[in-house]
Amino acid sequence: MMTVDPAELSRLQASKTIGIIGLGDMGMLYARRFTQAGWRVVGCDKEEHFERFKSEISDFEVVLNGHYVSRKSDYTIYSVEAENMDKIVSMYCSSTKVGGIVGGQTSCKNVEIAAFEKYLPKDVEIVSVHSLHGPKVNTTGQPLVLIKHRASDDSFRFVEILMSCLKSKIVYLSAEEHDKITADTQAVTHAAFLSMGVAWHNTNQYPWETPKWVGGLENAKINISLRIFSNKWHVYAGLAITNPSAHKQILQYATSVTELFTLMMKGRKQELKERMYRAKEKVFGHLGKEHEMLLNDDILQQFSLSKSPPEGKQLNSHLSILAIADSWSVLGIVPYDHNICSTPLFRIFLGITEYLFCTPGLLEECLEVGISQTEFREDDLEFTLAARSWHSIISFGSFDLYRQQFERTQKFFSPMLPEANKLGNEMIKTILERIHEKET
Ligand SMILES: NC(=O)C1=CN([C@@H]2O[C@H](COP(=O)(O)OP(=O)(O)OC[C@H]3O[C@@H](n4cnc5c(N)ncnc54)[C@H](OP(=O)(O)O)[C@@H]3O)[C@@H](O)[C@H]2O)C=CC1
Ligand SMILES: O=C(O)C(=O)Cc1ccc(O)cc1
């Protein structure tokens, strides 16, 4: 954690105003936390929401639109949908205070920085941010990326001091580095869990009601998938569609799923084994004997959505997990290198993959099931189709199709989403505490 001189903090808080454009989940989180820490905050949402926000919010100033925010603020953060970033920046940027600083919270920096460079007056500085967690996660200790794109050291220091109230772990990156890492971590993780959800939907199963999806690994898959479907579609669409590096990762994931499923169907056991052992060596080969695994089946066992979880476990090919290790292997990604900059969902995906590959005998068991049992063929086929369909939608850049596919499955799961969210929060809290213990 950085140290902040109290006198410097008081001087900045007395002289600077922080602006937030977009008072949705993340914008509101920032506005509230900055206000509570003693900063002067001014925010806005869409003009049509002004009266509602004005009557509901009393702890910071709410104004009609982004022009009023920009004129007053020394640091303005755009916290809006990625799809509309270019349009919204073009609307308000010319009102930015002379000599001010501007940044954004969007999950991919490619479009955000391009919009700032295109529309902002040259005297305006650019420092962008990205909190690598959802709005309901405790910010303490979570990664927060800071991007000093066009700014003096003093201006950057001001943003660092402002952000210190979140008690997050600051990670310093360029916009390009940020997008490359988040493509490797977030985008492909979401693609996997979105595909699980669509596959369950297309086979008309609520997995917590089916005796097939039993045990800790299955609980993690179900809870994360439903957690994603309980969020807003635009968050996931934006970070996948607007990030060119993400397209490559998601294509590789869909290709790995297809190729592994084909080997299973054809019964090409030796080829499948060699490929997965190669992936194991490339992704997990560097872990020493003393490496303590983050997750195991027992820890995850307690987080079942089922009212009376069946005993024992059902063997599964775990195609979705085999395919992520294969993708990392083919693309030469060592996921542990990204731990410093990872989201809770990515850490869990890595944790369950590590568990499957590093528990003696478990990988062999999965490969055997994949080759010789037909119990999961239909599910694996639907999963393959879903992974390929998400890849098509993302590579065509269609926000509209993304929304349709997402909301269709969201509706299917809607009766269970509140409960799944509660359980998912508990599961994430437990796992984050475990990560914290391991790190300290
Ligand atoms: N949710 C998450 O887990 C995380 C999200 N992010 C990123 O942060 C950004 C915001 O996400 P999040 O808060 O979740 O999304 P929300 O949809 O909750 O918030 C966006 C807000 O911006 C408003 N808005 C749209 N246009 C304007 C405008 N012209 N002027 C002012 N406000 C406007 C929206 O109104 P309306 O709803 O009416 O369109 C909405 O209230 C996104 O780019 C997302 O990718 C980053 C980290 C985590
Ligand atoms: O942890 C995840 O991957 C999430 O789903 C929450 C999330 C969504 C978007 C972001 O830009 C950062 C975090």
Side-chain angles (χ1 to χ4, degrees), residues 423-434:
L423 190 70
N425 284 343
E426 282 169 33
M427 184 179 86
I428 288 181
K429 191 162 161 264
T430 305
I431 296 170
L432 290 178
E433 280 164 11
R434 215 175 133 78

Side-chain angles (χ1 to χ4, degrees), residues 24-26 45-46 49 80-81 88 106-107 133-134 232 234:
D25 292 336
M26 294 306 287
D45 203 83
K46 280 185 179 157
H49 302 152
V80 297
E81 296 90 337
I88 297 172
T106 58
S107 310
H133 56 81
K232 292 173 186 147
H234 75 75

Side-chain angles (χ1 to χ4, degrees), residues 54-98:
K54 188 133 183 71
S55 65
E56 285 172 4
I57 294 171
S58 53
D59 46 343
F60 63 88
E61 187 186 2
V62 177
V63 293
L64 180 66
N65 62 35
H67 291 295
Y68 294 94
V69 173
S70 302
R71 293 187 67 232
K72 283 188 161 191
S73 302
D74 298 281
Y75 181 39
T76 305
I77 303 174
Y78 287 76
S79 190
V80 297
E81 296 90 337
E83 185 187 7
N84 301 326
M85 190 63 182
D86 184 272
K87 190 182 82 199
I88 297 172
V89 173
S90 78
M91 274 157 54
Y92 304 132
C93 70
S94 54
S95 299
T96 310
K97 189 169 172 173
V98 174

Side-chain angles (χ1 to χ4, degrees), residues 263-264 267-269 272 366-373 377:
L263 291 176
M264 288 174 188
R268 293 190 6 207
K269 189 171 173 176
L272 179 67
C366 284
L367 298 179
E368 199 51 52
V369 172
I371 291 285
S372 60
Q373 294 194 14
R377 286 281 153 83

Side-chain angles (χ1 to χ4, degrees), residues 279-297:
K280 180 176 176 176
E281 178 51 35
K282 282 177 78 174
V283 177
F284 303 104
H286 68 286
L287 299 177
K289 285 240 168 341
E290 320 69 49
H291 176 77
E292 193 200 338
M293 280 194 270
L294 173 63
L295 293 178
N296 61 52
D297 212 57

